[in-house]
């Protein structure tokens, strides 16, 4: 179970961004994290729009796209963007040679000149990897559990424990605030697990709990709590 907690990451599509996928990859986590079009792309009769970049043929070796009129769209450069957190994304730009007079022009794009498309290949590679994970047997199992497990924790945190807002200002203080909260939350969960396992007198409960903490080491609990904090903030 501990192995799973360290290496598997589950989250909804709100977290399906390149910087998060990269963070999880660098931390050796298996990312069972959907991206925003995952469900649309995995509908039974889904076919991509032929005018969208997903619908066009891409030649990886020679790095060009082919538009619906059969015209090669050659690479013309790279565009960088900075996210709010400072992460730099990279999109390859491709341009059609001549769109004037094309009978599909009206359906294809609205701007003036020749059509230019931008493709984030790194993000697409992450999406492909994630889609394979999510549609695997393990992925289906995680997806079935994800909708139940975190939502009930949000309910416990926000409703039962009335933790609806941070008590401090500033990133560091909030990190400290939430870290302490999740440390105690995880210890509370451990107690419940021990009680469930038949440990119902206080002395034995404390003894088992201390044994658990020593076995897991407190820094593991802090580490897991820190991870939860990082995901939540
Ligand atoms: S408008 Fe340009 S990019 Fe679109 S189909 Fe016609 S030639 Fe291709």
């Amino acid at each position: 179970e501990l192995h799973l907690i360290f290496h598997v990451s589950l989250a909804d599509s709100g977290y399906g961004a390149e910087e998060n996928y990269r963070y999880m990859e660098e931390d050796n986590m298996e990312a069972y994290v959907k991206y925003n079009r995952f469900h649309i792309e995995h509908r039974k009769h889904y076919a991509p729009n032929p005018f969208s970049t997903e619908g066009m043929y891409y030649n990886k070796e020679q790095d060009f796209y082919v538009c619906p009129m059969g015209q090669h769209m050659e690479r013309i450069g790279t565009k960088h963007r900075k996210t709010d957190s400072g992460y730099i994304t990279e999109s390859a730009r491709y341009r059609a040679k001549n769109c004037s007079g094309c009978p599909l022009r009206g359906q294809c794009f609205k701007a003036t000149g020749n059509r230019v498309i931008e493709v984030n290949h790194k993000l697409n590679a992450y999406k492909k990897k994630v889609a394979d994970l999510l549609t695997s047997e393990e992925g289906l199992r995680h997806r079935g559990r994800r909708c139940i497990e975190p939502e009930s924790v949000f309910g416990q945190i926000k409703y039962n424990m009335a933790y609806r807002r941070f008590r401090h200002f500033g990133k560091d203080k909030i990190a400290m605030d939430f870290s302490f909260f999740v440390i105690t939350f995880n210890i509370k969960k451990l107690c419940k697990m021990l009680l469930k396992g038949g440990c119902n007198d206080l002395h034995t409960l404390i003894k088992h709990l201390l044994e658990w903490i020593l076995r897991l080491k407190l820094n593991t609990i802090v580490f897991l709590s820190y991870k939860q904090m990082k995901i939540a903030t």
Side-chain angles (χ1 to χ4, degrees), residues 51 56 66-73 95-109 113-117:
F51 294 99
M56 291 183 196
V66 179
C67 80
M69 266 308 275
Q71 200 177 127
H72 279 203
M73 300 179 87
R95 187 169 54 206
K97 282 198 183 84
N98 184 12
C99 293
S100 59
C102 171
L104 302 177
R105 177 79 168 72
Q107 295 173 67
C108 189
F109 75 114
N114 297 325
R115 183 169 178 194
V116 175
I117 56 170

Side-chain angles (χ1 to χ4, degrees), residues 18-61:
E18 184 191 329
E19 59 185 302
N20 294 337
Y21 288 137
R22 181 162 158 200
Y23 173 84
M24 290 182 271
E25 186 181 61
E26 285 175 354
D27 257 34
N28 294 322
M29 293 182 203
E30 276 191 329
Y32 293 89
V33 179
K34 289 173 198 163
Y35 45 90
N36 51 11
R37 284 180 53 81
F38 174 80
H39 282 295
I40 297 174
E41 287 175 12
H42 287 82
R43 279 182 193 153
K44 211 172 172 189
H45 300 295
Y46 172 75
N49 177 346
F51 294 99
S52 70
T53 52
E54 304 94 77
M56 291 183 196
Y57 169 76
Y58 176 57
N59 186 316
K60 200 175 174 184
E61 284 71 43

Side-chain angles (χ1 to χ4, degrees), residues 13-186:
S13 58
Y15 295 92
E18 184 191 329
E19 59 185 302
N20 294 337
Y21 288 137
R22 181 162 158 200
Y23 173 84
M24 290 182 271
E25 186 181 61
E26 285 175 354
D27 257 34
N28 294 322
M29 293 182 203
E30 276 191 329
Y32 293 89
V33 179
K34 289 173 198 163
Y35 45 90
N36 51 11
R37 284 180 53 81
F38 174 80
H39 282 295
I40 297 174
E41 287 175 12
H42 287 82
R43 279 182 193 153
K44 211 172 172 189
H45 300 295
Y46 172 75
N49 177 346
F51 294 99
S52 70
T53 52
E54 304 94 77
M56 291 183 196
Y57 169 76
Y58 176 57
N59 186 316
K60 200 175 174 184
E61 284 71 43
Q62 292 174 41
D63 195 17
F64 66 82
Y65 275 83
V66 179
C67 80
M69 266 308 275
Q71 200 177 127
H72 279 203
M73 300 179 87
E74 305 291 348
R75 177 90 179 247
I76 53 163
T78 306
K79 189 161 187 169
H80 295 96
R81 284 192 187 85
K82 202 177 193 179
T83 66
D84 291 344
S85 59
Y87 181 81
I88 311 279
T89 63
E90 201 179 281
S91 297
R93 304 183 83 228
Y94 302 84
R95 187 169 54 206
K97 282 198 183 84
N98 184 12
C99 293
S100 59
C102 171
L104 302 177
R105 177 79 168 72
Q107 295 173 67
C108 189
F109 75 114
K110 288 190 175 69
T112 53
N114 297 325
R115 183 169 178 194
V116 175
I117 56 170
E118 287 176 9
V119 184
N120 184 337
H121 290 297
K122 225 185 264 175
L123 178 59
N124 286 350
Y126 281 131
K127 283 179 179 175
K128 166 86 185 63
K129 198 169 153 193
V130 162
D132 289 345
L133 278 176
L134 287 167
T135 49
S136 67
E137 207 174 300
E138 184 76 357
L140 293 174
R141 195 174 65 82
H142 286 311
R143 279 162 64 193
R145 283 171 53 188
R146 204 214 72 80
C147 50
I148 311 161
E149 289 176 353
E151 300 307 328
S152 66
V153 172
F154 291 146
Q156 285 163 33
I157 291 175
K158 290 169 88 174
Y159 185 77
N160 298 355
M161 298 168 88
Y163 191 89
R164 291 191 191 88
R165 54 174 62 214
F166 298 120
R167 277 103 172 135
H168 296 85
F169 291 103
K171 221 173 169 184
D172 290 347
K173 287 182 185 167
I174 285 173
M176 180 270 299
D177 184 321
F178 196 61
S179 293
F180 276 117
F181 177 79
V182 285
I183 288 167
T184 50
F185 186 83
N186 284 338

